[in-house]
Amino acid sequence: MPLIDSSTFTLLLWALVGYGLGSIPFGLLLTQLLGLGNLRQIGSGNIGATNVLRTGNKSAAALTLLLDAGKGVVAVVLARLYAGEDAAQLAALMAMLGHCYPVWLGFKGGKGVATFLGLMWALAWPVGLGCSIAWALAAFLSRMSSMGGLMAAAASTFLLILTGNGAMLLLGILLTLLVFWRHRTNIARIRQGTEPKIGQKS
């Protein structure tokens, strides 16, 4: 973990900013704006890009993916620019928690893969690139979005070590554990052979 140089007030401020940015439910907002129905009543009911894809609107799904990743990038970049590395890592963790557990939706949010990837790109772009490649390969080979997310998260720990980003290792492990926790039902379905393929209705 990084050296704690920022004041308690500064860290609290960026924790709140990170959570606020992360908790914006872009998937839900886009589907409502485009008249695609209530995302909570479609497919898995999740607010992420994979479930938005089940509406049949690929553009909305792609935009959700970019926006969910982007809010993670913005949280890290702003905190790093105006405070420091300690605030950036805290903002990253809180952005992930905000996406997964948004207060506006009764703490029932997304599974965090897009936001996780955005955070990795902002924290250390070589790690973000490696995680994105792992995600794409695993999703392509398995045809399961959840498998892509799990492999990307699992790869992050090794990539952080290989790229010399040990100061981010604790954060990386926490984010990885959160991704796995949010995918616990997917993991069970993968083991049972019942996990839906990409684009397939749950």
Side-chain angles (χ1 to χ4, degrees), residues 1 22 35-36 53 65 68 89 91 133-134 151 175 195:
M1 60 185 297
L36 301 175
L53 184 60
L65 179 67
D68 280 348
Q89 290 199 32
I133 292 173
M151 290 302 101
L175 294 176
E195 177 72 349

Side-chain angles (χ1 to χ4, degrees), residues 51-132:
N51 203 43
V52 174
L53 184 60
R54 295 189 177 106
T55 66
N57 192 315
K58 294 181 180 179
S59 297
L63 188 54
T64 299
L65 179 67
L66 290 174
L67 289 172
D68 280 348
K71 64 188 181 184
V73 172
V74 171
V76 171
V77 170
L78 289 180
R80 183 177 278 160
L81 179 63
Y82 291 105
E85 190 62 28
D86 53 352
Q89 290 199 32
L90 180 58
L93 177 60
M94 294 305 295
M96 185 72 166
L97 288 172
H99 178 79
C100 295
Y101 304 102
V103 63
W104 335 107
L105 300 178
F107 301 102
K108 297 177 180 179
K111 297 190 176 180
V113 175
T115 302
F116 171 84
L117 291 173
L119 292 173
M120 288 296 121
W121 273 97
L123 289 164
W125 72 263
V127 177
L129 176 61
C131 288
S132 297

Side-chain angles (χ1 to χ4, degrees), residues 27-51:
L28 194 63
L29 294 174
L30 282 172
T31 51
Q32 291 179 347
L33 183 64
L34 296 173
L36 301 175
N38 185 350
L39 194 58
R40 288 300 198 184
Q41 299 175 353
I42 296 172
S44 65
N46 193 268
I47 64 170
T50 300
N51 203 43

Side-chain angles (χ1 to χ4, degrees), residues 180-200:
F180 271 74
W181 173 252
R182 295 294 291 169
H183 282 80
R184 61 194 184 278
T185 55
N186 301 85
I187 294 171
R189 288 195 296 268
I190 290 172
R191 295 178 64 181
Q192 296 166 1
T194 58
E195 177 72 349
K197 303 295 184 179
I198 293 174
Q200 178 182 344

